[in-house]
């Protein structure tokens, strides 16, 4: 099953997504279509000595060597009862390809991010690998946090303070940065890395809707009120309630907010999907986990804004 992401959700910023529904044991889960390159029948797996317990090994797919992650082990669920019916979901995120081993794939649903709730603190537990709970008419499913699954297996694919330290001593900055990121782990990592880079005036929001309500409230008070709280906005794409593309579009449509530079920082920044961020007006798009590139782009955009303000 080959998925052509170029034709999916051509209108950027609609706050919609399409998810591929699949099963692992009796659980129903989902993955954003934008992360899926194709869905295939299982291929022969080559064992990798001393590998992570969640990695079954590697497969060779059209000259590419791709690791296979067993989602049943990740989610602590029973192994497949019908291995011949299993599927591999070939996904691309954080500039790497991964095959996720699932037990069956059903259909694609087109939904709004407003239909996705973030798991409550009480509902966490094994839901720690979950971005949100998808509410459909006849069932609920879990939208998995595939980036966290990969980073848990290989921490080197995540954000690293050491990469920022390698940039050398940097001046402290009073510039105000607002960040919309639904992952608590990534909010902490972004706080640590940006603070190390000299940016300490950080305001975090758990999703795009919370960021928009905050900024919209200030916009209603006028540009001076906006200038008191934000100089640049960084946003993820995948977030419950409101995604980063829709947040960017809303800001760029606001006369009081449209001047704010916006950086989309997401695992979904690929050549195929870059045009979506351009269409909603983002000044920059950077793939996780390129934290040094993010810091350099913040430096550049803030310097340009300062130059324009004093011109």
């Amino acid at each position: 099953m080959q998925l052509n992401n170029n034709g999916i959700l051509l209108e950027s910023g609609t706050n919609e997504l399409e998810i591929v529904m699949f099963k692992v044991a009796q659980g129903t889960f989902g993955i954003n279509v934008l992360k899926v390159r194709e869905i295939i029948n299982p291929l022969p797996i080559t064992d990798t000595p001393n590998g992570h317990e969640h990695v079954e090994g590697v497969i060779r797919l059209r000259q590419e060597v791709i690791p296979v992650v067993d989602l049943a082990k990740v989610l602590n669920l029973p192994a497949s009862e019908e291995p011949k019916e299993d599927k591999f979901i070939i996904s691309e995120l954080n500039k790497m390809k991964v095959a996720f081993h699932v037990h069956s794939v059903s259909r694609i649903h087109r939904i709004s991010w407003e239909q996705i709730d973030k798991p409550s603190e009480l509902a966490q537990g094994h839901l720690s690998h979950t971005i949100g709970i998808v509410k459909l008419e006849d069932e609920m499913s879990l939208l998995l946090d595939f980036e966290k699954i990969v980073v848990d297996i290989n921490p080197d694919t995540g954000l690293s303070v050491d990469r920022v330290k390698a940039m050398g001593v940097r001046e402290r900055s009073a510039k105000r940065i607002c960040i919309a990121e639904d992952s608590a782990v990534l909010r902490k990592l972004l706080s640590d890395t940006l603070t190390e880079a000299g940016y300490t005036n950080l305001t975090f929001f758990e999703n795009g809707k919370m960021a928009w309500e905050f900024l919209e409230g200030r916009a209603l008070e006028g540009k001076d009120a906006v200038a008191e709280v934000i100089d640049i906005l960084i946003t993820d794409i995948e977030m419950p309630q409101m995604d980063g593309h829709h947040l960017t579009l809303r800001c760029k449509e606001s006369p009081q907010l449209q001047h704010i530079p916006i950086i989309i920082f997401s695992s979904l920044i690929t050549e195929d999907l870059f045009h979506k961020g351009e269409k909603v007006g983002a000044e920059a798009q950077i793939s996780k986990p390129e934290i040094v590139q993010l810091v350099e782009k913040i430096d550049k955009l803030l310097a340009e804004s300062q130059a324009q303000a004093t011109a």
Side-chain angles (χ1 to χ4, degrees):
M1 180 180 179
Q2 190 82 29
L3 297 183
N4 180 1
N5 290 335
N6 289 326
I8 296 171
L9 297 177
L10 291 178
E11 286 298 318
S12 300
T14 61
N15 207 36
E16 293 178 304
L17 77 158
E18 292 189 333
I19 55 175
V20 177
M21 307 294 292
F22 62 88
K23 280 190 174 291
V24 177
Q26 298 303 310
T28 303
F29 305 92
I31 179 172
N32 192 332
V33 166
L34 298 181
K35 294 179 178 175
V36 180
R37 310 312 297 173
E38 58 186 305
I39 299 170
I40 64 173
N41 292 322
L43 295 175
I45 296 176
T46 301
D47 289 336
T48 50
N50 303 316
H52 192 280
E53 61 178 333
H54 295 161
V55 178
E56 296 181 64
V58 297
I59 58 171
R60 191 176 185 87
L61 180 64
R62 290 187 294 276
Q63 309 309 311
E64 288 188 279
V65 176
I66 300 174
V68 179
V69 175
D70 187 347
L71 284 183
K73 290 183 179 178
V74 171
L75 300 169
N76 196 27
L77 292 172
S80 175
E81 296 180 355
E82 299 287 341
K84 292 182 180 179
E85 304 298 321
D86 290 3
K87 299 293 182 184
F88 286 175
I89 298 176
I90 309 300
S91 178
E92 184 174 1
L93 58 156
N94 290 355
K95 292 187 174 180
M96 64 180 294
K97 288 185 179 178
V98 179
F100 292 104
H101 183 176
V102 305
H103 297 168
S104 65
V105 175
S106 54
R107 54 171 293 190
I108 295 175
H109 286 275
R110 182 170 180 169
I111 63 172
S112 166
W113 279 103
E114 293 180 352
Q115 292 174 249
I116 300 178
D117 288 337
K118 193 170 182 66
S120 68
E121 295 299 323
L122 290 176
Q124 284 294 336
H126 91 275
L127 298 185
S128 62
H129 291 298
T130 302
I131 291 175
I133 300 173
V134 185
K135 299 175 293 185
L136 303 173
E137 288 185 6
D138 53 348
E139 64 177 334
M140 290 197 302
S141 69
L142 302 179
L143 192 63
L144 294 181
D145 188 343
F146 290 91
E147 289 82 0
K148 183 178 186 300
I149 291 171
V150 171
V151 170
D152 285 349
I153 293 171
N154 182 5
D156 288 342
T157 63
L159 303 186
S160 170
V161 175
D162 289 339
R163 295 178 193 173
V164 177
K165 288 181 178 178
M167 299 177 74
V169 178
R170 294 169 52 85
E171 293 183 10
R172 301 287 95 178
S173 172
K175 294 295 185 180
R176 295 164 288 267
I177 302 177
C178 288
I179 303 163
E181 168 59 65
D182 67 306
S183 167
V185 172
L186 280 175
R187 287 197 299 273
K188 177 64 167 62
L189 287 171
L190 279 168
S191 177
D192 292 344
T193 51
L194 291 179
T195 297
E196 181 66 31
Y199 293 109
T200 57
N201 200 337
L202 309 173
T203 303
F204 285 90
F205 301 93
E206 292 185 11
N207 58 54
K209 184 177 182 181
M210 294 175 68
W212 169 247
E213 289 175 347
F214 172 77
L215 293 173
E216 182 186 36
R218 290 304 179 115
L220 293 174
E221 299 173 21
K223 278 194 173 182
D224 289 344
V226 171
E228 291 175 357
V229 297
I230 184 170
D231 292 299
I232 194 167
L233 173 64
I234 300 170
T235 179
D236 189 13
I237 293 178
E238 285 193 305
M239 294 180 288
Q241 300 300 308
M242 183 184 292
D243 69 22
H245 283 147
H246 192 63
L247 170 61
T248 301
L249 181 65
R250 296 287 288 270
C251 288
K252 294 304 179 182
E253 289 177 339
S254 166
Q256 288 76 32
L257 301 172
Q258 60 187 205
H259 67 285
I260 299 170
I262 299 177
I263 301 174
I264 297 177
F265 186 54
S266 168
S267 64
L268 291 176
I269 306 301
T270 64
E271 289 183 8
D272 289 344
L273 303 174
F274 196 83
H275 69 282
K276 293 183 177 293
E278 288 182 320
K279 190 161 185 180
V280 294
E283 276 71 17
Q285 301 177 75
I286 298 171
S287 176
K288 292 175 181 174
E290 301 296 337
I291 187 64
V292 170
Q293 190 179 343
L294 175 64
V295 171
E296 291 173 343
K297 185 58 70 172
I298 293 171
D299 293 345
K300 183 174 184 290
L301 290 174
L302 288 175
E304 289 174 354
S305 295
Q306 185 67 32
Q308 292 174 3
T310 57

